[in-house]
Amino acid sequence: MSASTAPRIGLLGGSFDPIHEAHLTLARTALTHLGAASVQLIPAAAPWQRQPLAATAEQRADMVALAIAGQPGLALNRIEIDRGGPSYTIDTLRALAGGTGTPAAGARYVWILGADQLANFCTWNEWQGIVALADLAVAGRPGNEPEPPASLHTELARHGRTLHRLPMPEMAVSSSGIRQRLARGESVDGLVPPAVLRYITQHRLYQA
């Protein structure tokens, strides 16, 4: 099977602290727009460019599983949590490739990221190796098509990689904003799936 005919698998990494409706919209958009066989959501064990997380790795994985339950094509991938330690995208892609340094047979990976992540992509650990192993898909905003840094554009062309554009509606929701609202005792109805909100309440997460 050639790379051009191999089924695409979308990979959406993140802290998911907590997972929210914008994450799910991005995953569903990627699934449809890329014609992907699946989109795997990958909670980070310890994001190296982020502050310490509020929920544990297991709690964040639980919330992802609850959020995507019953949604065809979306799956939880625990690879970074099970590996532990700092979560580097390059390590995850190499592990998915079976340690061979090339994508697994019959799969073409697409790493999904936001416009802000695209802008600083060239600060990621071994970012050139990421481009060698996966296409990229970036979520745009209405009237705002994010452009890759020049060095990333050159690297994409060198490897014959595609930068897919994912049309995303404007969504004023973020994990940090949800945590702040919960700490103030405010409602987050409509921002997180009901099952996730029940889990947050049950485990008393994000309280002041």
Side-chain angles (χ1 to χ4, degrees):
M1 180 180 295
S2 68
S4 60
T5 59
R8 291 190 180 118
I9 297 177
L11 304 172
L12 177 57
S15 58
F16 301 120
D17 191 28
I19 188 169
H20 53 66
E21 291 295 347
H23 292 134
L24 297 173
T25 298
L26 177 56
R28 290 189 292 259
T29 298
L31 186 67
T32 301
H33 189 77
L34 297 174
S38 68
V39 170
Q40 300 176 9
L41 286 82
I42 307 175
W48 67 280
Q49 288 183 320
R50 296 288 298 275
Q51 295 296 318
L53 303 178
T56 68
E58 289 300 332
Q59 288 169 336
R60 291 182 289 108
D62 287 346
M63 287 188 282
V64 170
L66 288 169
I68 65 175
Q71 299 199 43
L74 303 186
L76 167 66
N77 188 325
R78 292 177 50 95
I79 186 170
E80 293 187 354
I81 287 177
D82 290 343
R83 184 172 68 236
S87 297
Y88 295 111
T89 299
I90 185 61
D91 294 338
T92 298
L93 285 169
R94 284 173 176 159
L96 290 170
T100 63
T102 57
R108 186 175 179 91
Y109 296 124
V110 184
W111 195 268
I112 303 163
L113 63 166
D116 56 335
Q117 294 172 312
L118 182 70
N120 69 18
F121 185 84
C122 295
T123 70
W124 291 20
N125 189 46
E126 296 188 50
W127 67 269
Q128 297 96 332
I130 297 172
V131 175
L133 287 170
D135 290 341
L136 302 178
V138 60
R141 292 291 185 269
N144 179 20
E145 289 294 340
E147 291 299 326
S151 53
L152 175 55
H153 181 81
T154 299
E155 198 71 13
L156 288 165
R158 187 168 77 87
H159 288 282
R161 289 290 177 187
T162 300
L163 176 62
H164 302 273
R165 309 285 184 164
L166 303 177
M168 274 282 290
E170 191 73 36
M171 298 184 72
V173 54
S174 68
S175 293
S176 61
I178 289 169
R179 294 194 302 271
Q180 292 166 7
R181 291 175 69 93
L182 289 166
R184 294 192 297 262
E186 298 174 0
S187 172
V188 293
D189 288 346
L191 303 181
V192 298
V196 173
L197 182 53
R198 288 193 295 270
Y199 184 94
I200 290 171
T201 302
Q202 176 186 356
H203 292 271
R204 302 176 64 84
L205 297 177
Y206 313 123
Q207 297 185 4

